[in-house]
Amino acid sequence: MELNKQPLLILVICFILGILFQDKFLLEDGRVYFVIIASLVILLALLFHSYFLHKTKALILGTLFFCAGIILHFFNADPAELKPFGKEKRVVVFMITQKLNSTEKYKKYEGIAQLENKSIKSVFYLPKNSKDLDFVHYYKSEVFITKPYSPQYDFQFDYSKYLKRKNIQYQIYLSKEILSAGRNDLNISDKIRQQRFEVLKKIDEVKISATTREFLKGIILADRTEMDADTIQDFNKSGLVHFLAISGTHIVVIFGMVYFLMIRLVPLRFRSYTVIFSLLFIWLFSGFIGFGNSVLRSCIMLSVYFIYVLLQRKPDMLHSLALSAFIILILDTQQLFEVGFQLSFIAVLGIFWLNKPLLDHFPKQDTYLKKLVFNTITISLSAQLATLPLVLYYFHQFSFISIIANFIVVPFSEVIIVFSFLMTTLIAIGFDFELINILYDFIIQILLKVIHEFADVDKFFFDDISVNLVEVLLASIIVYLLRPAVHKFDFRNTMNLIMAVLMFFTVRAGYCAVENQKEEILLHDSGRNKVLSVKTGGKVCFWISDMADRDKILRFIVKPYCSSRRVDRFIIKPLPGSVQKVVFKDQIYDIK
């Protein structure tokens, strides 16, 4: 790939670097206003077509987009800190804008509360056995209001920072007694959310197994809020979570289904409008399911691609990718820090970079079956290789079985998505065919069992893998060097790849050696439970005051700690109730 032929991609990279710069250094008002003035000067300079400016035009444009990233992210920064509320109860009026994934104890919603004559975005927690809230009512309840706090230690997920990026600063815990009143200020978005809510309730009434119902709601309506935790874990461990989430695959399949029907049903004189109608349909569908981030990304990328086609210009995947990223980040620069945003765009880059060289090593694709099988293998492998560094960095786990699982399951994904879409459509309009329900339930149960079998193959599953940003960069260089090595297997390309791999493992060994020399003692809060961790070299012992919470502590404290500190061995022991203090290296730690 010659970068000078991808000016839009380069400019988007400069724009992203500006966002990252502002997010890291948080330039204050005065300096940002200076950047704004500098950007205006650059714009004026571009109006002059001197020889010097012609030679430096690329650098000037890159600087301009870098400044634009700083400016937009400044104005899209976290809101000003709001004051914390006390522990006393108070009465709050609120409305719901989105349902979130439930926990073991609570149903979770995102909504807007009226606090001190201000409309504040908040996360609402409702007891699990309470009735679902809808989008056409105002609600009133006695609540506790808290602010999300940053975690104790760096290895824990910073939920407060995640919420702040969504402009959410409060968590509100509701009582079971909630009063409601109909809203008379509904807009189009509220009405669409309510329609989707009613379709979800209709699916709950269909006589199929609970796991199949939740799968149907997740794969078509992007609702995984009540999905069983074991099912989600199976999809994660098997590397098939992309199949469950609404993503580019789903949007492309639905687009293809509509286009296929249109060219057969629409008169010949209207055939030129089939692409436009199909694009319009996926945008309407995306609006119906809530314009989720992954859905919006997919729709924009697909629309940009086919706009090239409609304008009779040769479609360019990188131009489409860059323009899509630019549109999304202009609308919301915080999207850059969404894991889904990063993984989806890196996956597309990986497919562009590796798919063709890998496909060239397969036999000629002279039949539909060969094209389907070989493209499934190479596309899946390209996307997984490209996203592997980020997957390890964010999730600290990887399964080699995912390659086989994707090879077996993905070819059937089109059939499953189309069947699920038709099922949802039939349920939405009120048709209930028992035979179709039984058939769909049977197919999905087989699918879930196959995925469960893949997830149970622990020999190929690795977790607690620690990777830092330096290692991510080095691993990404290895992926970059794979293309020339696969395309032309000669001494030079092979040695470049081998040197990059050796560099990665050398740096990784250095980080592990440094970490394994450290000793550390930490006190962790886990509700009412107290956890003491004592690390000596490459092993750590966790002392737990209440072993009843062992599984929870293992998930949220032990494993994140071990992956962060590159610890291979750990043991868990009960902490005697009589222990009040611990002395470690002449320092006293108060347990109580």
Side-chain angles (χ1 to χ4, degrees):
M1 178 180 66
E2 297 182 23
L3 289 179
N4 60 354
K5 294 183 179 180
Q6 299 294 336
L8 185 58
L9 179 63
I10 295 173
L11 293 177
V12 170
I13 291 173
C14 293
F15 183 71
I16 289 172
L17 291 175
I19 295 173
L20 293 173
F21 182 87
Q22 172 61 18
D23 196 75
K24 177 68 176 178
F25 296 103
L26 295 174
L27 300 184
E28 297 179 355
D29 296 11
R31 294 181 179 181
V32 172
Y33 293 144
F34 174 79
V35 173
I36 294 174
I37 294 171
S39 300
L40 293 174
V41 171
I42 292 173
L43 280 174
L44 291 174
L46 289 173
L47 298 176
F48 297 94
H49 301 286
S50 67
Y51 177 79
F52 173 76
L53 286 176
H54 176 73
K55 287 294 184 181
T56 60
K57 186 176 181 180
L59 179 61
I60 292 173
L61 278 173
T63 304
L64 180 62
F65 274 72
F66 179 83
C67 293
I70 293 175
I71 295 165
L72 279 179
H73 195 55
F74 169 76
F75 287 107
N76 195 35
D78 299 334
E81 286 288 333
L82 301 175
K83 71 173 186 179
F85 287 87
K87 294 184 178 181
E88 69 276 6
K89 288 184 178 182
R90 63 186 64 239
V91 176
V92 167
V93 175
F94 63 95
M95 65 179 183
I96 298 302
T97 57
Q98 184 181 356
K99 187 178 181 182
L100 306 176
N101 292 342
S102 298
T103 66
E104 293 180 0
K105 294 175 61 178
Y106 298 104
K107 292 179 180 179
K108 291 171 59 180
Y109 297 87
E110 186 177 303
I112 299 175
Q114 293 297 322
L115 296 173
E116 298 182 347
N117 298 321
K118 293 182 181 179
S119 297
I120 306 295
K121 287 183 66 176
S122 307
V123 174
F124 297 87
Y125 294 80
L126 184 67
K128 191 67 178 285
N129 57 355
S130 301
K131 184 179 178 181
D132 287 332
L133 306 182
D134 61 33
F135 303 93
V136 295
H137 287 87
Y138 281 113
Y139 295 97
K140 185 177 182 181
S141 178
E142 196 173 44
V143 303
F144 286 109
I145 303 176
T146 65
K147 284 179 64 67
Y149 294 102
S150 298
Q152 281 183 285
Y153 304 112
D154 59 352
F155 62 86
Q156 295 171 304
F157 176 65
D158 194 341
Y159 188 57
S160 65
K161 188 173 183 179
Y162 169 78
L163 291 180
K164 283 182 180 179
R165 291 198 183 279
K166 299 177 69 175
N167 294 330
I168 296 174
Q169 294 200 34
Y170 288 120
Q171 295 171 291
I172 298 179
Y173 292 82
L174 307 170
S175 66
K176 287 186 178 181
E177 296 181 4
I178 300 177
L179 302 177
S180 62
R183 292 177 54 189
N184 56 7
D185 59 348
L186 295 175
N187 55 35
I188 294 177
S189 297
D190 295 323
K191 293 177 181 178
I192 292 174
R193 292 190 193 107
Q194 185 62 23
Q195 286 296 320
R196 175 174 172 267
F197 175 78
E198 290 174 2
V199 173
L200 290 170
K201 302 306 284 183
K202 287 182 179 180
I203 292 176
D204 286 334
E205 297 171 0
V206 177
K207 294 180 180 179
I208 53 179
S209 61
T211 51
T212 301
R213 284 198 299 267
E214 297 306 324
F215 176 86
L216 177 59
K217 291 193 289 185
I219 196 173
I220 296 299
L221 297 177
D223 183 277
R224 292 189 290 165
T225 57
E226 302 298 332
M227 184 169 286
D228 182 69
D230 292 334
T231 302
I232 295 177
Q233 185 178 19
D234 286 344
F235 276 93
N236 284 325
K237 291 184 68 175
S238 62
L240 290 165
V241 70
H242 63 87
F243 178 57
L244 184 61
I246 295 285
S247 61
T249 302
H250 300 70
I251 298 301
V252 169
V253 169
I254 294 172
F255 174 89
M257 178 187 67
V258 176
Y259 182 78
F260 177 83
L261 293 173
M262 287 291 296
I263 60 176
R264 282 159 177 77
L265 299 177
V266 173
L268 185 62
R269 64 180 182 274
F270 296 118
R271 289 283 175 85
S272 58
Y273 298 101
T274 52
V275 171
I276 297 174
F277 182 85
S278 301
L279 288 174
L280 179 62
F281 183 86
I282 62 167
W283 278 102
L284 291 173
F285 171 75
S286 302
F288 183 75
I289 63 175
F291 277 130
N293 295 334
S294 61
V295 178
L296 187 60
R297 288 192 294 268
S298 303
C299 287
I300 291 176
M301 290 179 65
L302 193 66
S303 298
V304 170
Y305 181 87
F306 277 102
I307 286 172
Y308 275 94
V309 174
L310 293 171
L311 295 176
Q312 297 183 348
R313 295 183 59 183
K314 183 180 178 181
D316 188 301
M317 182 182 289
L318 289 185
H319 282 171
S320 302
L321 182 72
L323 186 56
S324 303
F326 192 54
I327 292 171
I328 292 168
L329 293 177
I330 285 177
L331 296 174
D332 182 10
T333 56
Q334 298 289 357
Q335 283 288 312
L336 179 63
F337 305 95
E338 287 278 345
V339 177
F341 176 92
Q342 297 173 24
L343 290 177
S344 62
F345 279 95
I346 293 295
V348 175
L349 280 173
I351 293 169
F352 169 84
W353 190 245
L354 295 174
N355 184 56
K356 182 64 167 60
L358 289 173
L359 200 58
D360 289 342
H361 287 275
F362 282 81
K364 186 178 180 181
Q365 297 92 54
D366 51 4
T367 66
Y368 175 78
L369 182 61
K370 287 182 180 179
K371 286 182 180 179
L372 176 65
V373 173
F374 296 159
N375 275 278
T376 298
I377 295 173
T378 56
I379 289 175
S380 176
L381 187 59
S382 301
Q384 288 189 67
L385 286 172
T387 56
L388 180 59
L390 281 181
V391 168
L392 295 178
Y393 178 72
Y394 285 116
F395 306 110
H396 313 294
Q397 64 182 33
F398 177 73
S399 176
F400 284 104
I401 203 68
S402 64
I403 298 173
I404 301 173
N406 277 275
F407 170 65
I408 293 175
V409 174
V410 170
F412 301 101
S413 62
E414 291 186 23
V415 177
I416 298 295
I417 292 170
V418 171
F419 196 0
S420 300
F421 184 85
L422 293 176
M423 275 287 294
T424 305
T425 303
L426 291 173
I427 294 169
I429 61 180
F431 287 99
D432 187 6
F433 296 102
E434 185 176 355
L435 183 60
I436 296 178
N437 294 345
I438 293 172
L439 178 61
Y440 183 78
D441 196 13
F442 175 75
I443 293 173
I444 300 305
Q445 286 301 309
I446 291 177
L447 174 68
L448 295 178
K449 286 178 181 178
V450 170
I451 293 172
H452 179 71
E453 291 299 322
F454 281 124
D456 268 356
V457 183
D458 292 330
K459 290 182 180 179
F460 298 100
F461 181 75
F462 303 91
D463 59 355
D464 300 336
I465 303 172
S466 179
V467 175
N468 60 28
L469 287 175
V470 174
E471 291 166 310
V472 168
L473 177 62
L474 292 174
S476 300
I477 293 173
I478 293 172
V479 174
Y480 178 82
L481 294 174
L482 273 174
R483 178 186 172 103
V486 173
H487 180 69
K488 186 179 180 181
F489 190 73
D490 58 14
F491 179 78
R492 179 183 176 183
N493 292 333
T494 304
M495 287 306 298
N496 287 339
L497 181 62
I498 291 174
M499 290 299 294
V501 173
L502 289 176
M503 176 65 74
F504 172 81
F505 282 106
T506 301
V507 171
R508 180 169 179 79
Y511 278 115
C512 291
V514 170
E515 195 62 51
N516 286 337
Q517 296 300 315
K518 295 179 181 178
E519 295 184 345
E520 182 179 51
I521 182 169
L522 296 176
L523 286 172
H524 312 263
D525 287 326
S526 180
R528 297 180 180 179
N529 208 335
K530 297 293 183 182
V531 180
L532 175 71
S533 64
V534 181
K535 176 182 177 295
T536 53
K539 60 183 179 180
V540 60
C541 180
F542 292 91
W543 299 83
I544 304 176
S545 60
D546 186 358
M547 293 297 285
D549 290 338
R550 186 181 186 278
D551 291 341
K552 180 181 176 182
I553 291 170
L554 184 67
R555 179 182 175 187
F556 294 107
I557 294 179
V558 176
K559 286 187 172 293
Y561 179 87
C562 290
S563 62
S564 173
R565 302 300 192 261
R566 302 174 187 256
V567 175
D568 296 326
R569 295 166 293 166
F570 69 87
I571 55 175
I572 298 176
K573 294 182 178 181
L575 183 67
S578 59
V579 175
Q580 301 277 332
K581 297 180 180 180
V582 172
V583 179
F584 183 78
K585 286 194 170 184
D586 299 328
Q587 287 191 341
I588 300 174
Y589 296 87
D590 190 357
I591 301 297
K592 301 300 181 183

